[in-house]
Amino acid sequence: LAYHYTNPVAALQFRASPQLNVYVSAGRGFETPTFGELAYRPDGQPGFNSELKAQTSQQVEVGAKWRSTDLGIALDAALFRARTDEIGVATNSGGRSTFRNVGRTQRQGVELDLRWRISDTWRTQIAATWLDATYTDGFCVRAVEPCPPALTVPAGNRIAGTLAKSGYGELSWLPRPDTELALEARVQGSVPVNDVNSDFAEGFGLLAMRARWQADVGPGRLELLGRVDNLADRRVVGSVIVNDGNQRFFEPAPGRT
């Protein structure tokens, strides 16, 4: 197999003021199938999945970056859209994953990131992402005719394994220049486990703490970092096995660690 493609990219940035930049960028993307994606055929027959085509995409992003030294604020915001001729998971069974070209998909959304240096000893950060990731073309999970309703993926279904909503926040305290104590929070929405969207991993929120100390030692620097993740010891789904053939989609996240 041989692949070739040209990826043009263009961007324009405008400095509206010394504190504010706005930009727009656009480009095309090209991704060849990996050896893992080519390793097995969806129909179960031996040999490589040589019919799998490369994945192509077109992306555009508009954003702004604002910095205020006086207020200690840094704000980034972006709107994005990507249209892709997608490679998706066809089957997951017996430890083997197979892949297929599933047609066109669309991802569009908003990203926000705010960092605020409240004082010399207090800092905070808030980040959030909203993502609408859907199939533009409908398809059948398996190559059968006619396609049963339970195997039909209609246009507009959410792409399996994608997060529609996610957020992060932290508050850190620096009692000394070499010491930091921080409280972190992470939240995420539900995750579809398969293309037909018959089940979802529930959303959750987790808390964590970290402590960091550093010191100059000779010509270098020594840093000590301690963390406690999942403070409340919640039982949540940490990841999903997309389109698992035995419907064992859910993998637990660690408890308090």
Side-chain angles (χ1 to χ4, degrees):
L1 298 175
Y3 306 94
H4 67 276
Y5 199 72
T6 301
N7 287 338
V9 178
L12 179 65
Q13 185 184 64
F14 172 64
R15 179 165 290 184
S17 72
Q19 294 80 31
L20 177 63
N21 287 341
V22 294
Y23 67 90
V24 58
S25 64
R28 292 199 305 182
F30 179 77
E31 181 181 335
T32 62
T34 66
F35 283 128
E37 291 169 340
L38 294 169
Y40 304 108
R41 291 172 50 173
D43 58 10
Q45 297 300 311
F48 284 102
N49 187 9
S50 58
E51 295 184 359
L52 190 63
K53 298 177 182 178
Q55 180 172 289
T56 60
S57 61
Q58 300 84 39
Q59 307 106 24
V60 63
E61 180 174 324
V62 179
K65 299 177 182 292
W66 179 61
R67 303 290 184 267
S68 175
T69 305
D70 296 338
L71 299 176
I73 293 177
L75 176 63
D76 294 351
L79 301 172
F80 61 88
R81 172 177 287 183
R83 294 181 176 178
T84 306
D85 292 316
E86 192 91 10
I87 293 176
V89 176
T91 62
N92 247 324
S93 181
R96 293 184 176 184
S97 299
T98 66
F99 297 83
R100 60 179 293 190
N101 299 102
V102 296
R104 295 174 300 168
T105 63
Q106 178 173 275
R107 294 167 174 83
Q108 58 185 353
V110 181
E111 290 182 335
L112 296 172
D113 180 71
L114 173 65
R115 300 169 186 259
W116 181 22
R117 192 179 63 220
I118 304 172
S119 67
D120 292 338
T121 57
W122 290 95
R123 297 176 185 175
T124 188
Q125 178 188 2
I126 298 174
T129 299
W130 172 79
L131 173 66
D132 178 34
T134 56
Y135 291 103
T136 304
D137 295 331
F139 61 96
C140 187
V141 173
R142 299 187 188 135
V144 293
E145 292 291 345
C147 187
L151 300 180
T152 300
V153 179
N157 263 26
R158 287 175 58 185
I159 299 174
T162 59
L163 274 172
K165 300 174 184 177
S166 61
Y168 173 83
E170 73 169 48
L171 179 65
S172 61
W173 178 47
L174 291 84
R176 297 172 35 164
D178 59 1
T179 305
E180 180 192 39
L181 302 172
L183 179 66
E184 305 173 3
R186 180 169 64 92
V187 297
Q188 69 177 53
S190 62
V191 178
V193 299
N194 53 15
D195 294 323
V196 296
N197 290 180
S198 63
D199 206 348
F200 295 81
E202 293 184 354
F204 59 82
L206 297 178
L207 293 174
M209 292 183 66
R210 74 172 187 268
R212 182 173 58 88
W213 175 82
Q214 59 186 15
D216 293 326
V217 179
R221 171 170 291 184
L222 175 67
E223 180 172 312
L224 301 178
L225 174 67
R227 292 186 57 86
V228 180
D229 290 314
N230 194 357
L231 275 175
D233 198 27
R234 296 195 61 193
R235 294 187 176 185
V236 299
V237 176
S239 59
V240 298
I241 302 175
V242 173
N243 292 332
D244 183 73
N246 296 310
Q247 299 189 8
R248 295 182 294 211
F249 304 112
F250 308 102
E251 297 184 309
R256 186 182 299 110
T257 306

